[in-house]
Amino acid sequence: MQMVQERTADTQILEQKTVLPSKQAVPEVIEDFLCNFLIKMGMTRTLDCFQSEWYELVQKEVARLGALGNVPDVYTQNMLLESENKSLKTDLKHYKQAADKAREDLLKTQKERDYHRMHHKRIVQEKNKLISDLKGLKLHYASYEPTIRVLHEKHNTLLKQKMLTSLERDKAVGQISVLQATLRHMEIGHSYHAPHVKVSSKCERGNASEGPTQRSLREAKEQSKYKAKMKENIKDSEFPSDMQPDQNLYLCNENISPAKFDYKLNDIFRIHELPVSCIAVHPHKEVLITCGEDHLWKIVELSKGNVLFTGFGHTDWLSDCCLDNSGSKMATSSGDSTIKLWDLFKGNCILTFEGHNHAVWSCTWHSCGDFVASSSLDTTSKIWDINSERCRCTFYGHTDSVNTIEFFPYSNILLTGSADKTLSIWDARTGKCEQSLYGHMHSINDATFNPKGHIIASCDACGVTKLWDFRKLLPIVSIDVGPSPGNEVNFNSSGQVLAQASGSGVIHLLDLKSGQIYKLMGQESEVNTVVFSHNGESLFSGGSDGTVRTWS
């Protein structure tokens, strides 16, 4: 009961609305207001005067001063508004700074967006290019299917011939064993004349029953033995030691073929189905020799561009070709790891050198005509003796693919350029590296001597062409026409003009006297090779579209 009564009392207390008196805001007194105002304004001297006079009045006239009252609410409200205004201005300043920073971040983000958008477009273009290249490779692969089918048929035919040959060989071995057994039996019986007659009759029957396959095998063995004996009798060629160039020839070339730079596109000849890799000008006839990635080399007439002869024999793309001084023989290098020598008058292959482990990039003739040098992807270079038909020397030293090789005119010195960014100078007689030239920052694609032999020109995969003083073995000048790669460099017959074939489809001509660079535009695809005519009046270029263009 007591608990119930207490709860009832508590409920009644809660139901009663107790209103607490509101605390009235006490307005600020006048003297405090004035003191605060003077302090806020920094008027300390006025504040000191006011306080001294105020307290004197307070002591004298207390009753009258007490009736002055407080400061009206308007002034207090103004002061509050001013302080609030100041705080708002401070916040506004902070917000403006934040807005400026946000604006800068937005501009930065927009620039990054534009950069990524351009990068995306470039990637899309590269993707489309790769797709088109892939389609081209598929078509290229499809073109090989008929050839592969024919090769399979030939392979099956050869297997059948091999089986027939093995059967005939087993039959002949059986006949020989029977003859030997008969001869042994007759010797035991002490009949010396009879077995001789019987054996001769058996041999005659064996020769009479010899098939065409056995006869061809026997002739091939005899021919190979004869060739081996002939090779043993042939001695190695000797490197010449007293070769001297004709200085009057250089003076004549300088006078006959002055520097020319205003070449214009004259003719376009479609010679190969695949890119043209090399062009050589015949030393005595008005013809060109071109090599392509379609496994063929061709002799082309200069006047009308007619193909006079097509050479077959390599099983992969051709990389380079060079003629001897007489113009009767030619050497070609190929991706099938071989170097072939050709008789240009007959058009047949007279010799094949095998020894490289990978594709052969370049080849060059010695001035005497007895040696051919080659450079390969297997990081080595080799010298081949044409008379003894063997490799005389292998050069080791480069750490990457050897892309170019050339003999110094009328000497036994070799120049090689490699993907390890170095040029090396070798003694062909000893096989030793005499000097290495450093300076290129990218893979060296080609290097050559000028006609006098005192300047070396080289170009790399980033379009940089360098000239070197061969006598001092020091760089002369570096010309950057990149970023497209420089595929080949060649001097004209006077040595005053250097031509560079560029991957951008432009032919750059460098005037060695003035240092000025001229450009020949008109090649629709990558320029793989460029060469001058002997009189310097014409220029020939080969592109990746399989065409040869003449400039005059």
Side-chain angles (χ1 to χ4, degrees):
M1 291 295 292
Q2 185 179 356
M3 291 174 62
V4 171
Q5 289 176 0
E6 289 177 357
R7 288 179 181 177
T8 303
D10 292 338
T11 302
Q12 291 176 359
I13 291 170
L14 291 173
E15 290 177 353
Q16 293 177 359
K17 294 182 179 180
T18 305
V19 180
L20 298 176
S22 59
K23 185 178 180 182
Q24 296 182 356
V26 179
E28 191 176 9
V29 295
I30 292 175
E31 60 271 20
D32 293 339
F33 172 76
L34 293 174
C35 290
N36 292 333
F37 175 76
L38 293 174
I39 292 171
K40 189 176 295 184
M41 297 302 294
M43 303 167 66
T44 57
R45 290 180 296 175
T46 307
L47 176 63
D48 294 337
C49 294
F50 169 73
Q51 286 180 346
S52 62
E53 290 180 3
W54 176 260
Y55 287 117
E56 288 177 0
L57 291 175
V58 169
Q59 291 178 359
K60 294 178 181 180
E61 301 175 357
V62 179
R64 192 164 62 87
L65 292 174
L68 290 176
N70 299 324
V71 180
D73 294 339
V74 177
Y75 296 104
T76 306
Q77 190 67 24
N78 288 337
M79 295 298 294
L80 293 174
L81 291 175
E82 286 180 2
S83 63
E84 187 176 355
N85 190 16
K86 286 183 179 180
S87 64
L88 289 175
K89 286 182 179 180
T90 305
D91 294 340
L92 179 61
K93 184 178 180 181
H94 292 320
Y95 291 147
K96 283 184 178 179
Q97 293 176 354
D100 294 337
K101 186 177 180 181
R103 189 180 295 106
E104 293 177 357
D105 293 340
L106 178 61
L107 292 174
K108 184 178 179 181
T109 305
Q110 288 177 349
K111 290 181 180 179
E112 291 180 355
R113 179 201 63 188
D114 296 337
Y115 170 76
H116 289 299
R117 185 177 294 168
M118 292 295 295
H119 186 62
H120 175 70
K121 289 182 180 179
R122 185 178 64 186
I123 290 175
V124 170
Q125 292 176 357
E126 292 178 356
K127 175 187 173 183
N128 295 332
K129 184 180 178 181
L130 289 175
I131 290 173
S132 62
D133 292 342
L134 183 60
K135 290 181 180 178
L137 289 174
K138 287 183 178 178
L139 294 174
H140 185 63
Y141 174 73
S143 65
Y144 279 102
E145 290 185 353
T147 306
I148 294 173
R149 196 178 301 112
V150 172
L151 291 176
H152 277 303
E153 293 176 356
K154 290 183 178 180
H155 177 68
N156 294 330
T157 304
L158 291 174
L159 286 177
K160 291 179 180 178
Q161 292 180 357
K162 180 182 178 182
M163 292 180 64
L164 292 174
T165 304
S166 63
L167 291 174
E168 291 179 358
R169 181 197 63 191
D170 295 339
K171 183 177 179 181
V173 169
Q175 292 177 355
I176 291 172
S177 61
V178 171
L179 289 173
Q180 290 178 349
T182 305
L183 180 61
R184 194 180 303 110
H185 179 71
M186 297 302 295
E187 287 178 352
I188 294 172
H190 301 284
S191 277
Y192 296 101
H193 300 286
H196 177 72
V197 174
K198 288 182 180 180
V199 170
S200 62
S201 62
K202 288 286 184 179
C203 291
E204 288 175 359
R205 282 198 299 271
N207 291 331
S209 62
E210 183 181 17
T213 305
Q214 290 180 339
R215 189 181 303 110
S216 61
L217 287 174
R218 179 171 52 79
E219 292 175 356
K221 288 180 180 179
E222 292 176 356
Q223 188 175 4
S224 62
K225 290 180 180 179
Y226 175 75
K227 287 184 177 180
K229 290 181 180 179
M230 292 296 293
K231 283 185 179 180
E232 291 177 358
N233 296 329
I234 296 176
K235 295 182 180 180
D236 291 334
S237 304
E238 294 184 359
F239 286 97
S241 58
D242 56 350
M243 294 186 67
Q244 294 294 332
D246 187 1
Q247 298 296 334
N248 296 324
L249 180 62
Y250 299 136
L251 297 175
C252 181
N253 287 336
E254 290 181 358
N255 296 328
I256 292 176
S257 57
K260 179 181 178 181
F261 304 98
D262 55 345
Y263 293 98
K264 293 183 180 180
L265 184 60
N266 189 15
D267 287 313
I268 301 176
F269 305 129
R270 181 167 293 280
I271 306 299
H272 294 273
E273 296 296 330
L274 294 178
V276 179
S277 57
C278 178
I279 297 176
V281 181
H282 197 278
H284 307 300
K285 297 183 180 180
E286 295 296 320
V287 294
L288 290 176
I289 290 89
T290 65
C291 298
E293 296 185 8
D294 53 3
H295 310 179
L296 307 175
W297 62 269
K298 299 184 180 183
I299 301 178
V300 183
E301 183 186 6
L302 282 179
S303 59
K304 298 181 181 179
N306 297 326
V307 177
L308 303 178
F309 183 80
T310 301
F312 303 86
H314 284 289
T315 59
D316 210 333
W317 44 267
L318 273 71
S319 57
D320 194 14
C321 66
C322 58
L323 299 169
D324 65 345
N325 291 335
S326 64
S328 61
K329 296 178 182 179
M330 180 181 68
T332 56
S333 57
S334 171
D336 59 9
S337 306
T338 64
I339 302 96
K340 290 183 180 291
L341 303 186
W342 307 83
D343 187 343
L344 291 182
F345 294 136
K346 298 179 181 179
N348 59 340
C349 178
I350 57 178
L351 194 58
T352 300
F353 293 122
E354 298 178 354
H356 284 291
N357 297 325
H358 293 287
V360 183
W361 287 120
S362 180
C363 59
T364 179
W365 280 90
H366 193 281
S367 300
C368 69
D370 293 332
F371 302 96
V372 171
S374 61
S375 62
S376 171
L377 181 63
D378 60 8
T379 72
T380 66
S381 303
K382 293 178 182 291
I383 292 183
W384 309 89
D385 192 330
I386 297 174
N387 295 322
S388 61
E389 300 180 5
R390 72 181 188 91
C391 176
R392 287 287 298 273
C393 184
T394 301
F395 303 119
Y396 299 95
H398 286 293
T399 59
D400 207 337
S401 171
V402 186
N403 298 329
T404 178
I405 189 168
E406 184 170 335
F407 272 107
F408 183 80
Y410 300 96
S411 74
N412 299 316
I413 296 175
L414 266 174
L415 171 68
T416 58
S418 171
D420 61 8
K421 310 170 189 176
T422 64
L423 294 169
S424 294
I425 298 169
W426 310 78
D427 189 340
R429 294 166 295 185
T430 61
K432 294 182 179 180
C433 179
E434 301 295 338
Q435 186 71 33
S436 293
L437 303 178
Y438 302 91
H440 280 283
M441 303 300 294
H442 302 275
S443 170
I444 298 175
N445 290 339
D446 191 33
T448 184
F449 291 99
N450 70 333
K452 289 185 178 180
H454 65 285
I455 294 178
I456 299 173
S458 59
C459 61
D460 63 22
C462 202
V464 177
T465 299
K466 287 183 177 291
L467 298 179
W468 310 78
D469 189 337
F470 181 63
R471 293 167 294 190
K472 299 180 181 179
L473 298 176
L474 294 174
I476 301 174
V477 68
S478 179
I479 304 103
D480 188 356
V481 291
S484 299
N487 295 325
E488 187 175 292
V489 286
N490 266 312
F491 288 94
N492 67 343
S493 56
S494 66
Q496 301 174 7
V497 184
L498 176 68
Q500 184 217 50
S502 174
S504 61
V506 179
I507 300 173
H508 297 93
L509 300 179
L510 173 64
D511 186 357
L512 267 65
K513 288 187 177 180
S514 65
Q516 189 172 356
I517 299 175
Y518 301 87
K519 293 184 179 181
L520 299 182
M521 314 289 289
Q523 194 89 22
E524 298 176 357
S525 61
E526 181 178 359
V527 186
N528 293 332
T529 178
V530 62
V531 64
F532 289 94
S533 62
H534 295 299
N535 58 8
E537 293 296 324
S538 300
L539 187 71
F540 309 101
S541 63
S544 60
D545 56 357
T547 62
V548 174
R549 297 171 189 255
T550 62
W551 309 75
S552 58

